[in-house]
Amino acid sequence: ADRSGHTEQLLKKLYADGLAISLEPADVQRVKQLVLETGNSARGREIFLRAEKSQCIKCHRVEGVGGNIGPDLNKISQTHTIEKIIESIVDPSREIKEGFETWTVVTTAGKVYGGLKISEGPPQFVLRGANGRDYRIYVNEIEDKIPSQRSLMPDATIAQLTLTEFVDLIAFLKDEQAQQDLPQYAEQRTAEDR
C-alpha cells in the first residue's frame, strides 16, 4: 500500500487520454519503485500475450513466442534496466535498434509503402509492414526510398493499459524465469482455449 499518496498523485497525473507516462526522471523513478514493490510478472505475462490489450506479442518475440516485426526481447531482463525498458516503451523512437529503422518507399506508379527494410537488392526491395506482411517492390519501380527517424512501434502503445498493467508488463520483461517459462505457458494457454 502507498501511504504517502505518491501512487494516487501519479495516477491523476498520468491519466489524460489513456495512460501516458512522463520520462521525467522523478516519474521514471516512481514507476521503477512500483515495478520493484508491486510488479507482478505473471500478470505482466498475460498483458504481453494479449494482443488486443498491449500489442506486444504481435511484433516482439520472447523465447520463441510472438511476432517477428520488432526486436527480439530475449535476454531483455539482462540487457536493459527498468528505466531503459520504460523509455523504450514510452518513446520508442528515442533510440531505434539498428536494423529496425522504418522506411517509406514510393513507387513510380505512386504507391506508398512503409515498414522495416528486410532486404535490398536486385531485383527487389522488401519491407515488412506493421501488420507483419512483406511488401516486395521491384527496384526498377522505386521512385524514392526515405529512411525515417520514427519507430514502427506506435508512440501511444501504452494508452490502453492501466498503470498497474504497465508496471506488471515491465515486471515480466525484467523476470528472466517468467520469460523462460513463456513457451510452455503459451502452449498450455492455447490448449485451454480450444
Side-chain angles (χ1 to χ4, degrees):
D2 177 27
R3 298 176 206 277
S4 67
H6 287 292
T7 302
E8 186 63 31
Q9 290 174 341
L10 187 59
L11 283 172
K12 287 179 183 176
K13 182 177 178 183
L14 297 178
Y15 285 110
D17 296 318
L19 182 61
I21 303 285
S22 161
L23 291 178
E24 292 295 320
D27 291 336
V28 170
Q29 286 307 308
R30 279 190 216 111
V31 173
K32 177 183 179 180
Q33 276 309 116
L34 289 171
V35 171
L36 295 172
E37 294 171 6
T38 66
N40 181 308
S41 61
R43 289 190 313 241
R45 175 183 58 209
E46 285 298 318
I47 298 300
F48 180 85
L49 290 171
R50 288 179 51 210
E52 73 281 358
K53 187 68 174 176
S54 71
Q55 307 290 315
C56 299
I57 195 164
K58 285 183 176 181
C59 298
H60 297 282
R61 184 175 295 268
V62 171
E63 295 294 330
V65 177
N68 63 348
I69 298 168
D72 190 311
L73 301 181
N74 279 340
K75 309 294 183 206
I76 193 171
S77 63
Q78 298 170 12
T79 61
H80 287 61
T81 64
I82 290 173
E83 295 89 342
K84 185 64 176 173
I85 294 172
I86 293 169
E87 175 190 295
S88 297
I89 296 172
V90 171
D91 187 2
S93 295
R94 183 175 279 196
E95 183 180 324
I96 301 172
K97 186 175 180 179
E98 187 177 332
F100 291 92
E101 301 86 3
T102 304
W103 286 76
T104 300
V105 173
V106 181
T107 68
T108 54
K111 291 186 177 180
V112 179
Y113 299 92
L116 303 177
K117 178 171 67 171
I118 301 302
S119 66
E120 177 179 19
Q124 297 177 331
F125 188 97
V126 181
L127 288 177
R128 180 163 296 142
N131 59 3
R133 180 177 172 199
D134 286 353
Y135 299 98
R136 299 174 187 286
I137 306 137
Y138 285 100
V139 174
N140 62 346
E141 295 176 0
I142 294 176
E143 185 174 306
D144 203 3
K145 296 181 291 190
I146 308 152
S148 172
Q149 298 302 309
R150 303 295 308 159
S151 170
L152 198 57
M153 182 173 164
D155 288 332
T157 300
I158 63 167
Q160 66 269 18
L161 298 179
T162 66
L163 179 60
T164 300
E165 291 169 333
F166 181 68
V167 165
D168 291 343
L169 176 62
I170 295 170
F172 167 70
L173 294 173
K174 283 300 292 177
D175 185 336
E176 186 176 0
Q177 187 61 54
Q179 290 179 26
Q180 290 173 350
D181 293 342
L182 187 61
Q184 298 88 339
Y185 178 79
E187 191 175 299
Q188 174 188 354
R189 188 172 172 252
T190 302
E192 289 172 359
D193 288 345
R194 291 183 198 149

